[in-house]
Structures are given as C-alpha cells and as structure tokens.
Amino acid sequence: MVGSPVLLIAIPLLAAFLIPLLGIFWKELVRIIPGLVLGYLTILSASLYIDVLNTGTIVETIAGWRAPWGINLVFSPLTGFLATLMTFIGFIIWLYSYRFKRNVEFEAAKKYFIFLMLLVAGSIGIVITGDIFNQFVFIEIVGISAYALTAFYTGRNSAEAAFKYLIMGSLSASALLIAIILIYSQLGTLNMAEIAANIHNMPPQYRVTAMIFFIIGIGVEAEIFPLNGWAPDAYTEAPGPVGSAFAGIVVKAGIYAMVRMMFTLFDISGPMQILIIIGMITLVVAETSALRQVQLKRMLAYSSIGQMGLVLVAFGMGTKAGVFAALFLMLNHAIIKPLLFFSGSYLVFNSKEKNISEMSGLGKLMPFTAAFFALGSFAIVGLPPFAGFWSKLSVLTAAANDGLLLIIAIVLLVSIVEIVYYFRVINRIYFFKFDKATSVVPHKPRVNALIAMAILAILILVIGFYPDSVSEILNRASEDLLNTPDYIKNVLSTGQSLTY
Amino acid sequence: MKKTIVILLLAAFGYFLAITFLDPDFEKDRNRNGVKNVYLEKTVSELKTANTVTAIVVNFRGFDTLGEVTVLFLAASALGSILFKKRHHVGERSITLPASSIVSTGAKLLFPAIILLGVYVFVHGHLTPGGGFQGGTIIATGFLLMLISYRNFSISHNILSVIESLAGILFVVIGLMGFINGGTFLQNFMPTGTLNNLFSGGIIPIIYILVGFKVATELTGLIYTILHEKG
C-alpha cells in the first residue's frame, strides 16, 4: 500500500489552509502548491486504483469506528476509476491555468487556486465517501467553491449567475437534507451500505418521498432538466478553466451521487424509467437549446447538459451494457469537454461578447487552438476515428440489446443536431474570411495551455484508436456498480475494533 | 401557464412534505439496530467524554466537522474575494454613525467578559453544552461589539488569517497523526484520562479548541470585511 484513500481528502484540505500562510513568504507558491497537490493526488489515486483492480475494494474507516458507527470511505473499481479521472482532469486544469492572473492580481489568483483545489477535493469526496451525510458535506464544499468561482469576475452578469446558482444550490441542499433526515428517522443510520441492506424495511411512502427529495437535491449538481437553469449562465460567466472543471469534474460527481443513490441506496434493479425519462427530456431540451445559442461558451454548456442527459439514459437501462456505455460516455466527456472549453476560451479570448459570429477565419491565425477545437468537436459528436464514436456506439448497442428503439431514434436524431451546431462553428473558423472589423483579435495560447490541450487531444486519439485499452477498466467498474450485495458485504465487514 | 405549473409543482412538493412529516413515527422504536445506543455507550466507556454530542461531532463524525470547517473557510474566503475590489483603505467604514457614549463605555466593560465566556465555552466543549462553533461565535460577537462602538478599532487582517490557517492546519495534522500512530484518520492517540475532568477525552478537546479559534477568527474577519465594504 502506498497510501490510503483518506489522503485524497486530507491533503488538499491541509494545502488549502496552508496556502494563505505560504503566500505571505513567496507569491509563486500559491500557484505551485495546488499543482503539486493535484499531481500527488493523481499518482496516489492511480496507484490505489491499480491496487484495487488487483486485490479488491479498499474500505477505510475514519476515527477508528467501523462501518455503521463511523464514517468510511469506499475505494472500489467504480469509485477509484472516477476519483482517478477527476484528479487527472483537475491536474490538467491546473496546468492550463497556471499563469491565471499572474502579475495582475495576487489576492484574486490565490482565491482562485484555493477554490479550484477544494472543488476537485470535494468532488472526490462525493465519489469515495460511503456515508450519506458525509456526501452532503462534500456537496456543500463543491457548491460553495463553485458559487465563488462563478462570481469570480465580480461583474454584474457573473454576480447574477452566481446568485442564481447559489439559490438553486441552497434550496436543493435543503431538499437533500430532508431526504437524509427521513432516512435517518426510519432506519437510524447514515451509512450507505447499512441503508442499502435495510431499505426494503422502510415503509413505501417514506421511501418514495426520500427518493424524490434525493433526486431534487442531487439534480442541481447533476444538471438534470428542470434543475439546470443555473448551468448555462455559470459556464458562461465563470473563467474558462472553471467551465471545464464544472463539465469535467463537478457534473461527474453529481451523476455518480445520483446513480449510487438509485442503484445502491434504494436498491432498484432493472430498467429505471425515471432516469430514462429525465435523461431524455434533458437531452432533447439541451441539444435543441444549444442550436439556438450565439455565445460559444453557452453553446458548450448546453452541449454538456445534453451529454449528461444521455449518460442518465444509459444508466437508466439498468443493464451491464447500459452502465458500461454510461461510464464510457462519462470518461469521454470528461476528456473532450475540457479540451473544447480550453481551446474555445482562447478562440474568444479578446472578445467582450464571446459570440460565435466573431470567430471568422481564426483557423489560419491560431492553427493549434483551432485544430484542438475541431478535434474536440469531431470527438464529441461521435465521428468514427475519435473517442466519442465508441461511447455513442455502445449506448446504441446497449439500447438495441433491450429493444429500446425509441432511444436509438432520439439519440441518432440528436446527434444530427449536435453535428449542425458544432460544424457551424468549425465552418466559421476555417472557411470564413478573417475580417478586422468583426472578428476577434487572436490571442496566442501559452505553452502550458498548449501542453494541457495536447495531452487531452492525445488521449482522445488513443481511446479512439484503441478503445479496448479502457474497456476492461469500464467493465470492472460497471460490474462493481451493479453488485450491491458485495458492496454491502465489503463495507460492513471491514474495520478494526478500537485499540488504545 | 408558467404560474400554473409552478403552483402545481409546489402543491406536489407540499403534499409529499405533509404525508411524511405529519406522521413521522419518531416515537416508534424501530431503530434497535441504529447507531444511537453504541454512541451513548462508547462515549462514556471508551472516549471518556461527558458530552455525547461533542463526542459525536468531533470523534464519531469528526470527518464531517472537518468538512464543515472547510465550508465555513470557503464561505469566508468567497465573501472576501467578492467584496475584495470594493474594500476601502484601512480604517474607513461603510457605516460612519458614531456610537453613543453609553454603548462605548459599556462595550469596554463587556468585551473581556464576552471573550472569557467564549473561551470557557469552547474549552469546556467536551464537558458542558456548547463547543468550538458556539464559543467561536461568542468571541466574534465581542469583536462585533467593539467594531460598532469604536470607529477607530481595527484588527489586522493578516493576524486573523494566520491564526485561521494555523488552526485549520493543526486540525488536519492531528487527524493525520492519528493516521500515523493508531491506524485511521482522526483516531484518538492520546490518553483519555478520567470522565468529567478538564483533561479528558484525548484529542476531542484539542480539536474543539482549534475549531473555536478557527470559527472566531473567520467570523471576525467576515464582520470586518462587511463593515468595510463600500456602500
């Protein structure tokens, strides 16, 4: 053992408290420390994950109390996969934004790096915790750092976006708390495994109510349809790298919480109509809204919401193929969407309005950035040699296995819509003439940003050409999610008695 | 149309709240296998802590408390960063009404007593009701009283943030020491002493004192930031 899952939370918190002190001595440390921490977390969670794949789930108790009494962390093939993905994307985002506000404003940059690190740490916490109240605390950590990052530019629009997000987030957090209270009042425990073992003893009306409140509570972070009004504003107004953190990390944590709640906590097996219906509505509404957007980041935000709808549809099938497809989609989206946000924010860097119409002819002036954007667009709409193709194909085959023809039809239709709005942008970048009066003044990306984008682009190509390289991992993860009895057994049997 | 949908949704929301909370059956003892009996028993026998609530907050669910402390830290820094550009130079206030002489004379007398009460509450957190969060808030109210009574009363933001950071760091370090010594994060590694003594409960009082310092400095910093915001 190289370390233990609790370090994934403890080290970023320690660093967050340490950064204000270190910033007094040397201002550059404020930038370096988060990178070191996120790099260390990536290595730690990757090595823990390899351990888990070889030897089985790690369940860690905290404060020496075993599962039903204390809080515990579960590092399984599923949660380990997501935690590794999140730490990696977090590190890439740090690399991209290393020079953020450098030589301009120290205080603001310090806050930015603290919030970014805690956003990643909170998302990891949501994924690896095995306790519903602990999950609530991490959702709060993620929420507050997300509100602060949304309001980062302290303008009128960003304040409005952050306020909207704050109101929705706080209301949904109250709903989540009500759900937790209901479960605790009926079962007397907060441990996920213990709840899962006893959930069928709970009277049905409490179970249904608790589930509805759970869906409302988590739905805001997971960006499901009626609760995602904050997302387009927040993605647009927040700094570029923060949009990619929302799309690559926070939403993934929200979706995980939702799915863990449905599959494990409430122990539902077989197809889940509610997830399929919510996902379908989210998918269709978001993709058709994306078509109408004139601002680049807003379009990306709606596309991100739509992809999450598709993920929920795939999870909702409830079969192993469906879960596999959903996890594959999450992996691809976590790689592709940050690339789109990274390159997209450089393409509209000098523009006030951030409109798509201002991007004419940038392909010749910013060849690398434009190429990365095009690559990301091709991948996300699902063109064959890129990563997105395989995940969309696996969704379609999973739906075909169950004979869900309507899902296939809608997914294919929506893909055409996606192609229209992404290709509209690419067409403008490459085949329109650069016009001094209307186009943006190009802004060359820094080396660190180019490296970050290149890493993601290479990953997209690798997964695209060798999809088998990840299918084994995803298979293990989807088996893990569907196997509730093993989850309960693992958690409740682990733990040492107290020794003083 | 929109309003009808909103009303319908609210009605559905209210209905579900009503059916569950009108009859929650709290009195029925269906929690025989729940956690509460273990908490009540182990608090006395193993943690030697007189206040069970403190034992639950700081030890059984200490990880949540670390999370909540982080939430407070985040909220305070977020407010600081949003109001940062609007802040005046040191010494300038957004509220400039002078306090009456009754308030300013009384504040001078009350201030030490309030600080002492706050310290008492968080030092005795493991013995009596209250603890770090409550004690810290009491101390912050003392500073609030001084800030509104004396227009030239100022606190160094740097000192506040150093104390705040140190308290947070020590909390995590104590957790990690349990990890290195005993095996798990936040596990007790100190002698627990005898029940009801001031020096009992192992790391519980130490953590609560740190929480007290952290909450006090954070809330004081918050009040100071808001008071110096440009209107």
Side-chain angles (χ1 to χ4, degrees):
Chain A
M1 279 267 284
V2 274
S4 91
V6 75
L7 294 179
L8 292 174
I9 313 293
I11 299 292
L13 294 192
L14 182 66
F17 297 139
L18 206 62
I19 284 174
L21 277 189
L22 292 175
I24 297 172
F25 300 117
W26 187 34
K27 294 191 171 176
E28 201 63 17
L29 277 178
V30 165
R31 287 154 201 287
I32 297 171
I33 297 283
L36 289 179
V37 168
L38 289 171
Y40 169 71
L41 293 189
T42 312
I43 295 168
L44 174 68
S45 82
S47 55
L48 278 174
Y49 183 48
I50 292 168
D51 252 26
V52 165
L53 286 183
N54 292 333
T55 57
T57 304
I58 302 173
V59 177
E60 175 158 24
T61 52
I62 287 175
W65 300 102
R66 67 180 204 81
W69 305 319
I71 294 167
N72 59 320
L73 303 177
V74 185
F75 205 85
S76 66
L78 172 69
T79 60
F81 162 68
L82 287 174
T84 312
L85 183 65
M86 284 168 176
T87 47
F88 173 70
I89 299 294
F91 180 73
I92 296 287
I93 291 170
W94 169 81
L95 183 64
Y96 173 79
S97 57
Y98 178 71
R99 300 179 66 94
F100 191 72
K101 293 243 173 203
R102 201 163 179 236
N103 309 328
V104 190
E105 263 182 294
F106 170 67
E107 194 71 19
K110 180 175 88 179
K111 295 280 164 65
Y112 167 79
F113 281 104
I114 293 176
F115 293 148
L116 183 68
M117 201 168 57
L118 287 179
L119 193 76
V120 179
S123 305
I124 300 168
I126 292 177
V127 170
I128 65 174
T129 185
D131 185 285
I132 48 174
F133 189 78
N134 199 233
Q135 195 169 46
F136 170 76
V137 170
F138 283 119
I139 287 175
E140 279 206 322
I141 291 181
V142 169
I144 293 181
S145 23
Y147 314 145
L149 285 170
T150 308
F152 190 77
Y153 285 138
T154 59
R156 194 189 147 81
N157 288 340
S158 53
E160 188 202 325
F163 195 65
K164 204 187 251 179
Y165 191 6
L166 174 75
I167 297 289
M168 294 193 77
S170 322
L171 279 178
S172 73
S174 327
L176 187 55
L177 201 56
I178 291 176
I180 292 171
I181 292 170
L182 267 178
I183 288 183
Y184 185 75
S185 78
Q186 298 302 312
L187 299 176
T189 179
L190 293 169
N191 187 275
M192 285 185 191
E194 182 112 330
I195 293 170
N198 295 320
I199 192 76
H200 294 295
N201 301 334
M202 202 164 148
Q205 83 262 27
Y206 295 109
R207 204 157 69 217
V208 171
T209 316
M211 199 164 93
I212 290 171
F213 279 114
F214 256 116
I215 291 175
I216 297 172
I218 299 166
V220 169
E221 295 301 345
E223 296 179 3
I224 63 173
F225 164 60
L227 306 168
N228 54 16
W230 60 272
D233 286 353
Y235 279 78
T236 317
E237 295 305 328
V242 174
S244 50
F246 286 169
I249 300 173
V250 176
V251 187
K252 303 292 175 296
I255 294 274
Y256 165 83
M258 188 98 157
V259 166
R260 175 61 90 194
M261 182 264 289
M262 297 292 276
F263 279 80
T264 307
L265 216 55
F266 289 94
D267 197 17
I268 303 168
S269 48
M272 299 168 203
Q273 280 86 357
I274 182 162
L275 283 189
I276 294 183
I277 293 169
I278 290 176
M280 275 301 181
I281 297 173
T282 311
L283 177 66
V284 172
V285 170
E287 298 287 16
T288 44
S289 318
L291 196 58
R292 293 186 5 236
Q293 298 311 315
V294 287
Q295 286 180 317
L296 182 69
K297 278 188 185 172
R298 245 187 141 72
M299 185 192 95
L300 292 178
Y302 275 113
S303 154
S304 172
I305 296 170
Q307 293 281 322
M308 288 306 109
L310 190 55
V311 169
L312 278 185
V313 170
F315 271 124
M317 292 175 202
T319 55
K320 187 163 168 287
V323 173
F324 175 87
L327 289 172
F328 204 171
L329 269 175
M330 279 167 88
L331 168 68
N332 282 340
H333 186 253
I335 298 168
I336 298 168
K337 207 28 88 56
L339 180 66
L340 283 170
F341 266 103
F342 288 171
S343 48
S345 16
Y346 266 113
L347 286 175
V348 292
F349 193 88
N350 284 327
S351 154
K352 267 240 144 49
E353 299 289 326
K354 317 274 182 207
N355 282 346
I356 296 170
S357 56
E358 295 170 291
M359 293 164 67
S360 308
L362 287 177
K364 289 205 181 64
L365 298 164
M366 302 167 76
F368 286 111
T369 321
F372 285 137
F373 188 85
L375 176 73
S377 309
F378 292 153
I380 205 143
V381 297
L383 284 189
F386 304 110
F389 170 69
W390 300 104
S391 49
K392 249 186 194 153
L393 187 69
S394 54
V395 173
L396 293 178
T397 46
N401 283 343
D402 290 4
L404 299 163
L405 294 179
L406 189 65
I407 291 183
I408 299 180
I410 291 182
V411 169
L412 288 177
L413 260 175
V414 161
S415 297
I416 295 172
V417 176
E418 263 185 330
I419 288 181
V420 171
Y421 66 76
Y422 274 111
F423 280 29
R424 190 182 56 174
V425 178
I426 293 172
N427 183 29
R428 195 167 270 282
I429 294 176
Y430 279 106
F431 302 109
F432 275 46
K433 274 257 155 53
F434 181 76
D435 179 9
K436 270 222 163 91
T438 53
S439 292
V440 201
V441 185
H443 181 93
K444 285 260 180 298
R446 301 272 187 187
V447 180
N448 56 314
L450 274 179
I451 294 173
M453 289 191 260
I455 293 173
L456 292 177
I458 289 168
L459 270 177
I460 290 172
L461 289 176
V462 168
I463 295 178
F465 283 107
Y466 304 101
D468 290 342
S469 56
V470 289
S471 63
E472 170 63 23
I473 294 173
L474 295 172
N475 260 326
R476 292 285 298 273
S478 42
E479 273 164 24
D480 179 47
L481 178 64
L482 290 169
N483 197 343
T484 309
D486 262 15
Y487 177 83
I488 296 171
K489 203 180 76 202
N490 275 333
V491 172
L492 292 184
S493 65
T494 314
Q496 71 250 60
S497 52
L498 271 183
T499 41
Y500 285 143
Chain B
M1 179 63 193
K2 215 172 180 181
K3 271 183 188 159
T4 332
I5 294 174
V6 170
I7 290 170
L8 276 177
L9 279 176
L10 279 179
F13 193 75
Y15 171 73
F16 278 112
L17 266 184
I19 58 160
T20 44
F21 284 95
L22 281 180
D23 179 29
D25 275 348
F26 280 135
E27 72 274 19
K28 221 193 265 175
D29 189 21
R30 72 169 74 72
N31 304 345
R32 259 157 312 200
N33 303 320
V35 289
K36 62 174 186 206
N37 294 334
V38 179
Y39 283 175
L40 286 173
E41 183 193 311
K42 299 274 182 185
T43 305
V44 178
S45 68
E46 292 201 36
L47 295 173
K48 304 272 194 272
T49 307
N51 186 345
T52 314
V53 175
T54 301
I56 292 171
V57 169
V58 180
N59 195 282
F60 291 102
R61 306 197 64 88
F63 202 51
D64 284 346
T65 305
L66 181 58
E68 291 296 348
V69 166
T70 314
V71 167
L72 192 62
F73 167 78
L74 269 172
S77 341
L79 191 67
S81 78
I82 290 165
L83 297 180
F84 176 70
K85 278 183 191 155
K86 291 174 135 192
R87 215 181 286 158
H88 279 242
H89 297 294
V90 182
E92 280 182 56
R93 292 281 179 81
S94 49
I95 303 162
T96 43
L97 286 175
S100 78
S101 60
I102 299 174
V103 174
S104 47
T105 318
K108 218 179 242 174
L109 279 171
L110 273 177
F111 179 64
I114 292 173
I115 300 291
L116 192 66
L117 175 66
V119 172
Y120 178 86
V121 167
F122 71 63
V123 168
H124 289 76
H126 57 304
L127 303 174
T128 55
F133 289 99
Q134 295 85 341
T137 316
I138 292 173
I139 291 178
T141 59
F143 281 102
L144 172 64
L145 182 64
M146 287 308 272
L147 279 165
I148 56 175
S149 330
Y150 294 95
R151 287 171 61 189
N152 54 357
F153 185 84
S154 77
I155 314 152
S156 162
H157 230 278
N158 280 338
I159 292 177
L160 283 183
S161 95
V162 167
I163 296 175
E164 182 191 326
S165 290
L166 279 179
I169 291 165
L170 282 174
F171 192 158
V172 183
V173 165
I174 286 177
L176 287 175
M177 273 167 75
F179 186 69
I180 295 158
N181 280 340
T184 62
F185 189 70
L186 280 172
Q187 187 166 348
N188 193 5
F189 56 90
M190 286 171 59
T192 45
T194 41
L195 191 71
N196 276 328
N197 277 9
L198 182 58
F199 294 100
S200 65
I203 58 169
I204 289 176
I206 300 174
I207 288 179
Y208 238 13
I209 288 169
L210 291 175
V211 172
F213 270 106
K214 196 157 170 55
V215 171
T217 48
E218 252 153 26
L219 291 181
T220 309
L222 264 183
I223 292 165
Y224 193 78
T225 313
I226 294 171
L227 214 58
H228 288 75
E229 180 211 0
K230 203 181 274 179

